[in-house]
């Protein structure tokens, strides 16, 4: 009988490496959340004040120009992005970019639900399509950071400054982790559950002036559900972008997001959050470089995610990864590190700002242990 390897001496202090919902901010606990707004109407003075404060904090941390509006909407990032698609697409041609599952989801919506005939530009998991082929006379839909593939656009240089169409960026695992060129982004969406480590169910919709112009000058051919309606009497419903949400929000989730945003300010704002993500990604990259059985699914470093880092494991199939991740979970050494179900078999380690670099560093010996244990005959 083969002896199993010894357990490493030190565990990550916070073994939360899920790519959504992600690790809570350091120091978080439920009793540190403000609760005065709970049990109150979101339309009360305190409800409106806290929602507006949350929006103001997001604007401050994102360094968002006054030209862009921020709204809290239902349905997480998915709801926010579909709201943008349903209300603005159809005015001109559409190009959809897909290199992972969520991008493919927007293709499905455009083709099967909205009955559009988009140009689809695809790449395999781990790759980025040729961005120079994008036709900016069309509206362009893309994910800034592919959460399920570990591939991101390296910057916004490829987005035309003279574009005729709108740029729609699903940026849910990118905001607060990369500097974003807001002059190049007409529509952006994200959720608190990613880089902020907030709770799910709520999305954030950011509209630039060109997107507002589209909303006020174009009426889609299809009916819009109430939760998608951003217009009132031919004008943008400005209240949505001042905290007057379309439907009832969870004030507990809002208070949780406020906690995360205030923590973000305490670590240096956008620059501090980006630095934390960069340090985590560098620590994980060092672990990968020191092991010949580990690799990056995204081979090009320039387009490799620094948040949802997807790894290949030599000889691994889905069953092996399930065993591998299960061993780490059972030991309380790392939770939720199996790759996304539609992606190639491998690991996915969240390196966003709410993770501590010391915990990434402590993960290395545990990956060795799990790999050796999963390969041992006794684990079969």
């Amino acid at each position: 009988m083969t002896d199993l390897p010894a357990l490493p001496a030190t565990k990550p202090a916070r073994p939360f490496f899920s790519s959504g919902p992600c690790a809570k901010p350091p120091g978080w606990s439920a009793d540190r959340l403000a609760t005065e707004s709970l049990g109150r109407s979101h339309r009360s003075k305190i409800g409106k004040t806290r929602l507006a404060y949350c929006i103001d904090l997001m604007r401050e941390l994102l360094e968002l120009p006054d030209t862009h509006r921020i709204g809290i909407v239902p349905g997480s990032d998915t709801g926010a992005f579909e709201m943008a698609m349903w209300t603005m697409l159809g005015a001109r041609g559409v190009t959809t970019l897909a290199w992972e599952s969520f991008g493919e989801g927007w293709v499905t919506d455009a083709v099967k639900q909205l009955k559009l005939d988009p140009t689809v530009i695809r790449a395999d998991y781990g790759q980025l399509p040729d961005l120079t082929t994008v036709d900016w006379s069309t509206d362009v839909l893309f994910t800034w950071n592919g959460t399920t593939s570990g591939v991101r656009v390296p910057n916004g240089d490829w987005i035309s400054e003279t574009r005729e169409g709108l740029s729609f960026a699903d940026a849910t695992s990118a905001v607060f982790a990369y500097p974003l060129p807001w002059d190049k982004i007409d529509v952006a969406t994200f959720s608190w559950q990613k880089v902020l480590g907030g709770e799910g169910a709520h999305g954030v919709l950011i509209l630039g002036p060109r997107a507002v112009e589209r909303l006020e000058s174009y009426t889609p051919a299809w009916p819009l559900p109430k939760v998608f309606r951003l217009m009132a009497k031919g004008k943008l419903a400005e209240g949505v972008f001042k905290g007057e949400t379309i439907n009832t929000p969870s004030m507990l989730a809002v208070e949780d997001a406020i906690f995360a945003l205030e923590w973000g300010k305490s670590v240096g704002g956008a620059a501090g959050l980006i630095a934390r993500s960069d340090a985590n990604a560098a620590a994980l990259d060092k672990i990968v470089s020191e092991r010949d059985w580990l690799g990056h699914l995204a081979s090009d470093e320039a387009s490799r995610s620094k948040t949802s880092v997807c790894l290949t494991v030599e000889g691994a199939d889905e069953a092996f990864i399930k065993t591998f991740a299960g061993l780490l979970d059972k030991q309380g050494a790392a939770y939720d590190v199996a790759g996304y179900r539609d992606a190639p078999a491998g690991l996915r380690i969240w390196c966003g700002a709410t993770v501590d670099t010391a915990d990434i560093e402590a993960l290395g010996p545990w990956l060795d242990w799990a790999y050796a244990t999963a390969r041992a005959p006794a684990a079969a």
Side-chain angles (χ1 to χ4, degrees):
M1 181 176 179
T2 303
D3 291 334
L4 294 178
L7 293 171
T10 304
K11 292 181 184 179
R14 294 191 304 135
F16 305 107
F17 301 108
S18 164
S19 289
C22 301
K24 307 300 288 184
W28 181 94
S29 66
D31 60 5
R32 295 187 64 186
L33 302 183
T35 58
E36 292 81 2
S37 66
L38 305 190
R40 297 293 306 276
S41 168
H42 60 294
R43 295 188 175 92
S44 66
K45 182 178 179 180
I46 188 171
K48 288 182 178 180
T49 298
R50 296 302 281 176
L51 285 160
Y53 178 52
C54 184
I55 289 173
D56 290 344
L57 283 172
M58 287 189 285
R59 180 178 299 280
E60 180 181 352
L61 263 71
L62 290 174
E63 300 175 357
L64 198 70
D66 291 339
T67 52
H68 287 58
R69 292 165 170 85
I70 307 175
I72 299 169
V73 300
S76 194
D77 175 67
T78 300
F81 203 81
E82 289 187 330
M83 177 184 285
M85 291 179 67
W86 258 250
T87 55
M88 283 178 265
L89 292 184
R92 57 173 58 240
V94 177
T95 298
T96 56
L97 280 66
W99 55 86
E100 47 94 52
S101 61
F102 288 103
E104 283 292 345
W106 311 140
V107 173
T108 298
D109 281 357
V111 174
K112 294 186 177 181
Q113 306 304 322
L114 297 179
K115 308 299 183 182
L116 300 171
D117 184 23
T119 298
V120 182
I121 304 175
R122 289 187 170 93
D124 292 335
Y125 275 86
Q127 304 296 317
L128 195 64
D130 184 356
L131 301 177
T132 65
T133 64
V134 173
D135 178 3
W136 284 104
S137 70
T138 66
D139 293 332
V140 180
L141 282 61
F142 67 99
T143 53
W144 196 280
N145 185 99
T147 310
T148 66
S149 68
V151 174
R152 64 182 174 95
V153 295
N155 49 52
D157 293 351
W158 62 286
I159 301 175
S160 172
E161 293 182 355
T162 58
R163 61 192 177 280
E164 299 171 42
L166 300 180
S167 58
F168 291 72
D170 171 359
T172 196
S173 52
V175 290
F176 304 111
Y178 307 111
L180 298 181
W182 293 110
D183 61 321
K184 297 286 191 76
I185 298 173
D186 299 309
V187 179
T189 65
F190 69 95
S191 64
W192 296 328
Q193 66 177 345
K194 295 295 185 180
V195 182
L196 289 177
E199 292 303 297
H202 296 75
V204 177
L205 175 67
I206 298 177
L207 301 179
R210 300 179 74 248
V212 174
E213 181 183 12
R214 171 71 62 83
L215 284 166
E216 293 185 337
S217 64
Y218 166 71
T219 301
W222 43 79
L224 292 176
K226 181 179 180 180
V227 293
F228 282 4
R229 296 173 197 164
L230 293 170
M231 299 292 292
K233 299 179 180 180
K235 293 291 184 179
L236 186 71
E238 292 286 1
V240 173
F241 305 95
K242 298 176 183 177
E244 298 172 14
T245 55
I246 293 174
N247 69 334
T248 304
S250 163
M251 292 308 297
L252 184 59
V254 171
E255 294 296 351
D256 186 77
I258 288 173
F259 179 94
L261 290 160
E262 290 179 336
W263 168 79
K265 284 186 64 174
S266 76
V267 297
L273 294 171
I274 291 169
R276 286 179 63 90
S277 291
D278 287 352
N280 290 337
L284 184 57
D285 189 56
K286 183 174 186 293
I287 289 171
V288 174
S289 68
E290 293 171 347
R291 289 155 176 82
D292 57 11
W293 54 271
L294 264 182
H296 284 284
L297 182 59
S299 57
D300 180 8
E301 186 176 355
S303 58
R304 184 181 302 155
S305 174
K306 293 185 179 181
T307 54
S308 54
V309 183
C310 297
L311 305 178
T312 60
V313 178
E314 185 178 82
D317 57 14
E318 187 176 344
F320 183 88
I321 293 299
K322 184 177 181 180
T323 299
F324 190 117
L327 288 165
L328 294 169
D329 187 290
K330 186 176 181 180
Q331 292 295 329
Y335 298 133
D336 310 315
V337 296
Y340 191 72
R341 61 180 179 270
D342 294 334
L347 304 175
R348 183 172 59 162
I349 312 295
W350 184 254
C351 290
T354 56
V355 174
D356 289 319
T357 303
D359 288 334
I360 296 286
E361 293 169 342
L363 187 59
W366 283 97
L367 296 179
D368 293 332
W369 171 82
Y371 181 66
T373 301
R375 295 178 68 204

